[in-house]
């Protein structure tokens, strides 16, 4: 029942993220200082190039756990990973101001099927995800070096079970997050077809919402083919006219984010160097207030004030308690921190990282150096959904950050 409730929570949140509503998001920019620049008012079907792609991946599973090396029912290392993907995307049209400002950005929805060579103990999961990419370098009108990220949820895992699946010490839940980054060469074979060849890295884990949570990591080679429904032949030719991009008004904007999640907790086991999981699921709530200097269309940076209450913080084993664990008072589970933030800003999505430390805290778990990886999904011009993950000391899983936010003093021009 708990797993089912968690699945619905993830699906509801991701479902909202998948609603890339052009009607809501495409509010006309009305800044007086740049009123001479007109947005493209064509309908959505014509304003973007629409694409449908297929992709195959073959790669290597990092041997991070005895289960992957030899301690499994097959008594051999699980090293090979295979995947097939079906992807829909829409891309900014070439030779436009938006394409130049946002380096040929595209975004969409994908579905992937994975095979890790052990369906009995791992399963063959299916992932549903958002993705976005763009151009890093152009070698000719038809050949470019591109990046892409994928983020979503994967379903159909065979998780750890003390009786039925005891060897699987890496995956603890039926639903896990799926994260991927890739670098690839794109060759426009014709106005209709693109060929992609590159390398990718993937990570699967449940964000510390279930135990175990060691996760699965792969590195892959990929080959893909995309069909462009409405790309014109002239959009593959060299353009001798440089589109006029409105000058960017550098300014400070302010992001206020509220988040919450749930997590599991493992505490040090008395008399040994190991850990033992505490019973139950624990709530996490927090906020972030981040003044950010907008350097241009694609990058902003600043410093954030981060506050958090983690109901699992500083728990200890205690034989005096009925459940065997002692929960400290709330002041030992709260903290205020400062973090440096940097964000890559693209249409619809913003990807950010943060490095910070708690300056006011109750000691113990809260005395930490933390890292944040976050995705902000535009809902309107100034509001966004927030999906993030917090780590400690670059390696220790902490908690998910699922929330909403609002951006004040946003002076960013709207180009499409």
């Amino acid at each position: 029942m708990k797993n089912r409730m968690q699945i619905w929570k993830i699906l509801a949140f991701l479902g909202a993220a998948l609603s890339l509503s052009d009607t809501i998001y495409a509010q006309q920019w009305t800044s007086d200082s740049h009123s001479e620049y007109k947005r493209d008012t064509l309908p959505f079907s014509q304003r973007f190039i629409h694409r449908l792609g297929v992709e195959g991946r073959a790669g290597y599973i990092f041997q991070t756990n005895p289960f992957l090396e030899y301690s499994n029912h097959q008594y051999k290392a699980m090293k090979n990973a295979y995947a097939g993907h079906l992807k829909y995307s829409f891309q900014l049209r070439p030779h436009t101001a938006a394409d130049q400002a946002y380096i040929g950005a595209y975004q969409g929805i994908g579905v992937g099927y994975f095979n890790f060579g052990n369906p009995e103990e791992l399963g063959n999961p299916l992932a549903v995800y958002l993705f976005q990419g763009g151009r890093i370098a152009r070698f000719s009108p038809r050949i470019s070096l591109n990046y892409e990220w994928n983020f979503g949820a994967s379903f159909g895992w065979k998780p750890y079970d003390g009786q039925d699946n005891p060897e699987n010490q890496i995956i603890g839940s039926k639903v896990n997050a799926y994260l991927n980054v890739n670098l690839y060469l794109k060759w426009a074979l014709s106005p209709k077809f693109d060929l992609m060849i590159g390398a990718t890295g993937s990570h699967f884990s449940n964000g510390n919402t279930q135990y175990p949570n060691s996760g699965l990591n792969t590195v892959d080679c990929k080959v893909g083919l995309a069909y462009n429904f409405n790309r014109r032949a002239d959009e593959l030719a060299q353009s001798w006219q440089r589109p006029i991009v409105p000058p960017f008004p550098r300014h400070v904007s302010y992001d206020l984010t509220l988040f919450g999640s749930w997590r599991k907790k493992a505490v040090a086991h008395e008399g040994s160097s190991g850990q033992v999981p505490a019973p139950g699921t624990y709530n996490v709530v927090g906020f972030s207030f981040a003044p950010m200097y907008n350097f241009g269309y694609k990058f902003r940076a600043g410093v954030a004030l981060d506050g958090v209450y983690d109901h699992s913080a500083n728990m200890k084993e205690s034989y005096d308690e009925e459940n065997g664990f002692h929960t400290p008072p709330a002041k030992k589970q709260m903290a205020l921190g400062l973090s440096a933030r940097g964000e890559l800003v693209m249409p619809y999505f913003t990807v950010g990282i943060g490095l910070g430390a708690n300056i006011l805290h109750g000691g113990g778990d809260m005395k930490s150096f933390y890292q944040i990886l976050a995705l902000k999904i535009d809902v309107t011009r100034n509001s966004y959904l927030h999906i993030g993950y917090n780590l400690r000391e670059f390696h220790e899983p902490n908690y998910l950050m699922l929330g909403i936010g609002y951006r004040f003093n946003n002076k960013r021009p709207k180009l499409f």
Side-chain angles (χ1 to χ4, degrees), residues 22-38:
D22 189 63
T23 303
I24 296 176
Y25 181 73
Q27 300 178 28
Q28 183 164 355
W29 173 64
T30 57
S31 174
D32 293 337
S33 61
H34 298 92
S35 59
E36 67 272 22
Y37 298 100
K38 301 297 183 182

Side-chain angles (χ1 to χ4, degrees), residues 308-341:
V308 65
Y309 167 73
D310 181 354
H311 189 218
S312 71
N314 289 319
M315 291 186 65
K316 295 182 179 180
E317 272 195 302
S318 174
Y319 296 111
D320 296 329
E321 303 291 336
E322 184 177 348
N323 66 356
F325 293 86
H326 170 69
T327 301
K331 65 180 182 180
K332 294 287 187 178
Q333 300 178 319
M334 302 171 66
L336 277 177
L338 289 176
S339 61
R341 300 292 184 98

Side-chain angles (χ1 to χ4, degrees), residues 22-23 26-30 35-48 92-93 96-98 414-416:
D22 189 63
T23 303
Q27 300 178 28
Q28 183 164 355
W29 173 64
T30 57
S35 59
E36 67 272 22
Y37 298 100
K38 301 297 183 182
R39 277 184 53 229
D40 190 346
T41 56
L42 290 172
F44 178 79
S45 60
Q46 300 178 40
R47 199 183 322 148
F48 298 95
L92 296 170
R93 285 199 173 275
T96 62
K414 190 84 166 64
L415 300 183
F416 59 92

